[in-house]
mmCIF file of all heavy atoms in Angstrom:
data_model
loop_
_atom_site.group_PDB
_atom_site.id
_atom_site.type_symbol
_atom_site.label_atom_id
_atom_site.label_comp_id
_atom_site.label_asym_id
_atom_site.label_seq_id
_atom_site.Cartn_x
_atom_site.Cartn_y
_atom_site.Cartn_z
ATOM 1 N N ALA A 1107 129.458 78.982 85.127
ATOM 2 C CA ALA A 1107 128.804 78.493 86.340
ATOM 3 C C ALA A 1107 129.201 77.044 86.581
ATOM 4 O O ALA A 1107 129.257 76.256 85.641
ATOM 5 C CB ALA A 1107 127.299 78.605 86.174
ATOM 6 N N PRO A 1108 129.517 76.696 87.823
ATOM 7 C CA PRO A 1108 129.905 75.309 88.104
ATOM 8 C C PRO A 1108 128.745 74.341 87.898
ATOM 9 O O PRO A 1108 127.581 74.731 87.947
ATOM 10 C CB PRO A 1108 130.313 75.333 89.570
ATOM 11 C CG PRO A 1108 129.932 76.640 90.120
ATOM 12 C CD PRO A 1108 129.542 77.554 89.008
ATOM 13 N N TRP A 1109 129.110 73.094 87.666
ATOM 14 C CA TRP A 1109 128.138 72.003 87.654
ATOM 15 C C TRP A 1109 128.142 71.378 89.042
ATOM 16 O O TRP A 1109 129.148 70.796 89.451
ATOM 17 C CB TRP A 1109 128.551 70.936 86.639
ATOM 18 C CG TRP A 1109 128.180 71.244 85.235
ATOM 19 C CD1 TRP A 1109 128.941 71.901 84.320
ATOM 20 C CD2 TRP A 1109 126.957 70.878 84.574
ATOM 21 N NE1 TRP A 1109 128.261 71.982 83.126
ATOM 22 C CE2 TRP A 1109 127.048 71.366 83.258
ATOM 23 C CE3 TRP A 1109 125.806 70.205 84.979
ATOM 24 C CZ2 TRP A 1109 126.018 71.188 82.334
ATOM 25 C CZ3 TRP A 1109 124.782 70.030 84.063
ATOM 26 C CH2 TRP A 1109 124.898 70.522 82.752
ATOM 27 N N HIS A 1110 127.046 71.502 89.743
ATOM 28 C CA HIS A 1110 126.916 70.764 91.000
ATOM 29 C C HIS A 1110 126.308 69.406 90.675
ATOM 30 O O HIS A 1110 125.416 69.305 89.819
ATOM 31 C CB HIS A 1110 126.031 71.523 91.989
ATOM 32 C CG HIS A 1110 126.721 72.703 92.616
ATOM 33 N ND1 HIS A 1110 126.770 73.943 92.029
ATOM 34 C CD2 HIS A 1110 127.405 72.814 93.793
ATOM 35 C CE1 HIS A 1110 127.455 74.774 92.803
ATOM 36 N NE2 HIS A 1110 127.850 74.118 93.887
ATOM 37 N N ILE A 1111 126.802 68.388 91.353
ATOM 38 C CA ILE A 1111 126.292 67.027 91.130
ATOM 39 C C ILE A 1111 125.783 66.519 92.481
ATOM 40 O O ILE A 1111 126.572 66.324 93.416
ATOM 41 C CB ILE A 1111 127.406 66.075 90.620
ATOM 42 C CG1 ILE A 1111 128.122 66.658 89.383
ATOM 43 C CG2 ILE A 1111 126.840 64.677 90.365
ATOM 44 C CD1 ILE A 1111 127.399 66.596 88.081
ATOM 45 N N GLY A 1118 125.822 59.820 88.925
ATOM 46 C CA GLY A 1118 126.401 61.106 89.294
ATOM 47 C C GLY A 1118 127.899 61.114 89.008
ATOM 48 O O GLY A 1118 128.443 62.081 88.463
ATOM 49 N N TRP A 1121 128.687 61.271 85.189
ATOM 50 C CA TRP A 1121 128.582 62.630 84.631
ATOM 51 C C TRP A 1121 129.693 63.518 85.179
ATOM 52 O O TRP A 1121 130.340 64.246 84.444
ATOM 53 C CB TRP A 1121 127.214 63.253 84.960
ATOM 54 C CG TRP A 1121 126.089 62.771 84.106
ATOM 55 C CD1 TRP A 1121 125.691 61.488 83.927
ATOM 56 C CD2 TRP A 1121 125.193 63.586 83.314
ATOM 57 N NE1 TRP A 1121 124.600 61.447 83.081
ATOM 58 C CE2 TRP A 1121 124.278 62.716 82.693
ATOM 59 C CE3 TRP A 1121 125.074 64.948 83.093
ATOM 60 C CZ2 TRP A 1121 123.255 63.167 81.853
ATOM 61 C CZ3 TRP A 1121 124.053 65.423 82.258
ATOM 62 C CH2 TRP A 1121 123.160 64.524 81.640
ATOM 63 N N ALA A 1122 129.929 63.450 86.480
ATOM 64 C CA ALA A 1122 130.922 64.334 87.117
ATOM 65 C C ALA A 1122 132.305 64.115 86.525
ATOM 66 O O ALA A 1122 133.006 65.077 86.208
ATOM 67 C CB ALA A 1122 130.946 64.078 88.628
ATOM 68 N N THR A 1123 132.703 62.868 86.359
ATOM 69 C CA THR A 1123 134.073 62.607 85.884
ATOM 70 C C THR A 1123 134.245 63.069 84.434
ATOM 71 O O THR A 1123 135.281 63.614 84.076
ATOM 72 C CB THR A 1123 134.429 61.103 85.996
ATOM 73 O OG1 THR A 1123 133.373 60.318 85.429
ATOM 74 C CG2 THR A 1123 134.644 60.689 87.441
ATOM 75 N N ARG A 1124 133.221 62.881 83.608
ATOM 76 C CA ARG A 1124 133.369 63.310 82.213
ATOM 77 C C ARG A 1124 133.388 64.834 82.101
ATOM 78 O O ARG A 1124 134.157 65.389 81.319
ATOM 79 C CB ARG A 1124 132.259 62.685 81.347
ATOM 80 C CG ARG A 1124 132.460 61.182 81.168
ATOM 81 C CD ARG A 1124 131.369 60.544 80.336
ATOM 82 N NE ARG A 1124 130.074 60.604 81.002
ATOM 83 C CZ ARG A 1124 128.937 60.191 80.452
ATOM 84 N NH1 ARG A 1124 128.938 59.706 79.228
ATOM 85 N NH2 ARG A 1124 127.800 60.261 81.123
ATOM 86 N N LEU A 1125 132.554 65.519 82.901
ATOM 87 C CA LEU A 1125 132.566 66.988 82.884
ATOM 88 C C LEU A 1125 133.909 67.510 83.413
ATOM 89 O O LEU A 1125 134.492 68.437 82.837
ATOM 90 C CB LEU A 1125 131.409 67.535 83.740
ATOM 91 C CG LEU A 1125 130.016 67.432 83.110
ATOM 92 C CD1 LEU A 1125 128.930 67.589 84.176
ATOM 93 C CD2 LEU A 1125 129.821 68.510 82.032
ATOM 94 N N ALA A 1126 134.419 66.900 84.479
ATOM 95 C CA ALA A 1126 135.689 67.356 85.068
ATOM 96 C C ALA A 1126 136.843 67.076 84.101
ATOM 97 O O ALA A 1126 137.740 67.912 83.943
ATOM 98 C CB ALA A 1126 135.925 66.647 86.406
ATOM 99 N N ARG A 1127 136.801 65.927 83.448
ATOM 100 C CA ARG A 1127 137.864 65.580 82.497
ATOM 101 C C ARG A 1127 137.921 66.588 81.349
ATOM 102 O O ARG A 1127 138.976 66.866 80.802
ATOM 103 C CB ARG A 1127 137.607 64.162 81.961
ATOM 104 C CG ARG A 1127 138.702 63.625 81.084
ATOM 105 C CD ARG A 1127 138.476 62.184 80.756
ATOM 106 N NE ARG A 1127 137.198 61.941 80.087
ATOM 107 C CZ ARG A 1127 136.748 60.744 79.724
ATOM 108 N NH1 ARG A 1127 137.478 59.677 80.000
ATOM 109 N NH2 ARG A 1127 135.597 60.606 79.114
ATOM 110 N N ALA A 1128 136.759 67.147 81.006
ATOM 111 C CA ALA A 1128 136.705 68.138 79.924
ATOM 112 C C ALA A 1128 137.067 69.535 80.430
ATOM 113 O O ALA A 1128 137.034 70.493 79.661
ATOM 114 C CB ALA A 1128 135.317 68.143 79.297
ATOM 115 N N GLY A 1129 137.391 69.659 81.710
ATOM 116 C CA GLY A 1129 137.872 70.933 82.230
ATOM 117 C C GLY A 1129 136.826 71.800 82.901
ATOM 118 O O GLY A 1129 137.100 72.949 83.242
ATOM 119 N N TYR A 1130 135.617 71.290 83.101
ATOM 120 C CA TYR A 1130 134.581 72.103 83.741
ATOM 121 C C TYR A 1130 134.734 72.090 85.261
ATOM 122 O O TYR A 1130 135.282 71.143 85.830
ATOM 123 C CB TYR A 1130 133.182 71.616 83.334
ATOM 124 C CG TYR A 1130 132.901 71.902 81.879
ATOM 125 C CD1 TYR A 1130 132.940 70.887 80.936
ATOM 126 C CD2 TYR A 1130 132.658 73.200 81.448
ATOM 127 C CE1 TYR A 1130 132.735 71.154 79.581
ATOM 128 C CE2 TYR A 1130 132.457 73.478 80.104
ATOM 129 C CZ TYR A 1130 132.491 72.455 79.180
ATOM 130 O OH TYR A 1130 132.307 72.737 77.862
ATOM 131 N N ASP A 1131 134.228 73.136 85.869
ATOM 132 C CA ASP A 1131 134.233 73.268 87.328
ATOM 133 C C ASP A 1131 133.080 72.407 87.865
ATOM 134 O O ASP A 1131 131.908 72.749 87.679
ATOM 135 C CB ASP A 1131 134.044 74.761 87.661
ATOM 136 C CG ASP A 1131 133.945 75.025 89.157
ATOM 137 O OD1 ASP A 1131 133.907 74.060 89.943
ATOM 138 O OD2 ASP A 1131 133.892 76.215 89.531
ATOM 139 N N VAL A 1132 133.428 71.305 88.485
ATOM 140 C CA VAL A 1132 132.420 70.358 88.978
ATOM 141 C C VAL A 1132 132.521 70.283 90.501
ATOM 142 O O VAL A 1132 133.626 70.255 91.044
ATOM 143 C CB VAL A 1132 132.642 68.944 88.375
ATOM 144 C CG1 VAL A 1132 131.600 67.963 88.892
ATOM 145 C CG2 VAL A 1132 132.606 68.993 86.850
ATOM 146 N N ARG A 1133 131.391 70.268 91.174
ATOM 147 C CA ARG A 1133 131.368 70.184 92.641
ATOM 148 C C ARG A 1133 130.370 69.115 93.076
ATOM 149 O O ARG A 1133 129.178 69.241 92.785
ATOM 150 C CB ARG A 1133 130.990 71.537 93.244
ATOM 151 C CG ARG A 1133 131.944 72.627 92.763
ATOM 152 C CD ARG A 1133 131.574 74.002 93.236
ATOM 153 N NE ARG A 1133 132.393 74.986 92.503
ATOM 154 C CZ ARG A 1133 132.375 76.296 92.696
ATOM 155 N NH1 ARG A 1133 131.579 76.794 93.625
ATOM 156 N NH2 ARG A 1133 133.137 77.103 91.984
ATOM 157 N N LEU A 1134 130.893 68.099 93.719
ATOM 158 C CA LEU A 1134 130.019 67.019 94.195
ATOM 159 C C LEU A 1134 129.346 67.452 95.491
ATOM 160 O O LEU A 1134 130.003 68.029 96.363
ATOM 161 C CB LEU A 1134 130.840 65.766 94.494
ATOM 162 C CG LEU A 1134 131.732 65.231 93.371
ATOM 163 C CD1 LEU A 1134 132.611 64.093 93.905
ATOM 164 C CD2 LEU A 1134 130.864 64.742 92.213
ATOM 165 N N ILE A 1135 128.060 67.146 95.608
ATOM 166 C CA ILE A 1135 127.381 67.383 96.887
ATOM 167 C C ILE A 1135 127.120 66.018 97.514
ATOM 168 O O ILE A 1135 126.344 65.213 96.983
ATOM 169 C CB ILE A 1135 126.060 68.152 96.695
ATOM 170 C CG1 ILE A 1135 126.319 69.464 95.937
ATOM 171 C CG2 ILE A 1135 125.409 68.438 98.053
ATOM 172 C CD1 ILE A 1135 125.058 70.256 95.610
ATOM 173 N N TYR A 1145 135.414 60.549 101.079
ATOM 174 C CA TYR A 1145 135.764 60.960 99.711
ATOM 175 C C TYR A 1145 137.155 61.580 99.684
ATOM 176 O O TYR A 1145 137.982 61.257 98.821
ATOM 177 C CB TYR A 1145 134.716 61.946 99.170
ATOM 178 C CG TYR A 1145 135.080 62.499 97.814
ATOM 179 C CD1 TYR A 1145 135.005 61.707 96.670
ATOM 180 C CD2 TYR A 1145 135.541 63.813 97.674
ATOM 181 C CE1 TYR A 1145 135.367 62.198 95.425
ATOM 182 C CE2 TYR A 1145 135.901 64.314 96.432
ATOM 183 C CZ TYR A 1145 135.819 63.508 95.313
ATOM 184 O OH TYR A 1145 136.183 63.994 94.085
ATOM 185 N N LEU A 1151 137.414 60.977 92.433
ATOM 186 C CA LEU A 1151 136.568 59.941 91.816
ATOM 187 C C LEU A 1151 137.364 59.250 90.717
ATOM 188 O O LEU A 1151 138.061 59.908 89.955
ATOM 189 C CB LEU A 1151 135.344 60.581 91.157
ATOM 190 C CG LEU A 1151 134.129 60.941 91.993
ATOM 191 C CD1 LEU A 1151 133.043 61.511 91.081
ATOM 192 C CD2 LEU A 1151 133.608 59.729 92.751
ATOM 193 N N PRO A 1163 140.469 64.498 90.778
ATOM 194 C CA PRO A 1163 140.319 65.111 92.104
ATOM 195 C C PRO A 1163 139.256 66.213 92.083
ATOM 196 O O PRO A 1163 139.564 67.400 92.135
ATOM 197 C CB PRO A 1163 141.714 65.680 92.384
ATOM 198 C CG PRO A 1163 142.289 65.944 91.035
ATOM 199 C CD PRO A 1163 141.663 64.992 90.058
ATOM 200 N N ILE A 1164 138.011 65.811 92.007
ATOM 201 C CA ILE A 1164 136.890 66.750 91.876
ATOM 202 C C ILE A 1164 136.555 67.334 93.245
ATOM 203 O O ILE A 1164 136.579 66.609 94.251
ATOM 204 C CB ILE A 1164 135.667 66.011 91.281
ATOM 205 C CG1 ILE A 1164 136.026 65.463 89.890
ATOM 206 C CG2 ILE A 1164 134.449 66.903 91.221
ATOM 207 C CD1 ILE A 1164 134.982 64.502 89.327
ATOM 208 N N ALA A 1165 136.225 68.624 93.278
ATOM 209 C CA ALA A 1165 135.864 69.265 94.547
ATOM 210 C C ALA A 1165 134.575 68.648 95.090
ATOM 211 O O ALA A 1165 133.729 68.190 94.316
ATOM 212 C CB ALA A 1165 135.674 70.763 94.328
ATOM 213 N N ALA A 1166 134.462 68.636 96.406
ATOM 214 C CA ALA A 1166 133.241 68.073 97.017
ATOM 215 C C ALA A 1166 132.846 68.896 98.226
ATOM 216 O O ALA A 1166 133.674 69.599 98.813
ATOM 217 C CB ALA A 1166 133.480 66.622 97.410
ATOM 218 N N GLN A 1167 131.590 68.791 98.580
ATOM 219 C CA GLN A 1167 131.034 69.592 99.685
ATOM 220 C C GLN A 1167 129.810 68.864 100.231
ATOM 221 O O GLN A 1167 129.353 67.869 99.643
ATOM 222 C CB GLN A 1167 130.627 70.967 99.161
ATOM 223 C CG GLN A 1167 129.664 70.881 97.983
ATOM 224 C CD GLN A 1167 129.263 72.224 97.378
ATOM 225 O OE1 GLN A 1167 128.090 72.458 97.215
ATOM 226 N NE2 GLN A 1167 130.216 73.078 97.043
ATOM 227 N N SER A 1271 131.933 67.371 76.713
ATOM 228 C CA SER A 1271 132.378 66.353 77.681
ATOM 229 C C SER A 1271 132.135 64.939 77.162
ATOM 230 O O SER A 1271 132.383 63.964 77.869
ATOM 231 C CB SER A 1271 131.627 66.530 79.003
ATOM 232 O OG SER A 1271 131.774 67.834 79.468
#
Side-chain angles (χ1 to χ4, degrees):
W1109 278 91
H1110 285 85
I1111 307 284
W1121 282 56
T1123 49
R1124 289 179 294 176
L1125 285 162
R1127 186 172 58 182
Y1130 291 104
D1131 177 354
V1132 180
R1133 304 176 191 183
L1134 306 173
I1135 305 176
Y1145 175 72
L1151 278 182
I1164 299 169
Q1167 55 182 231
S1271 305

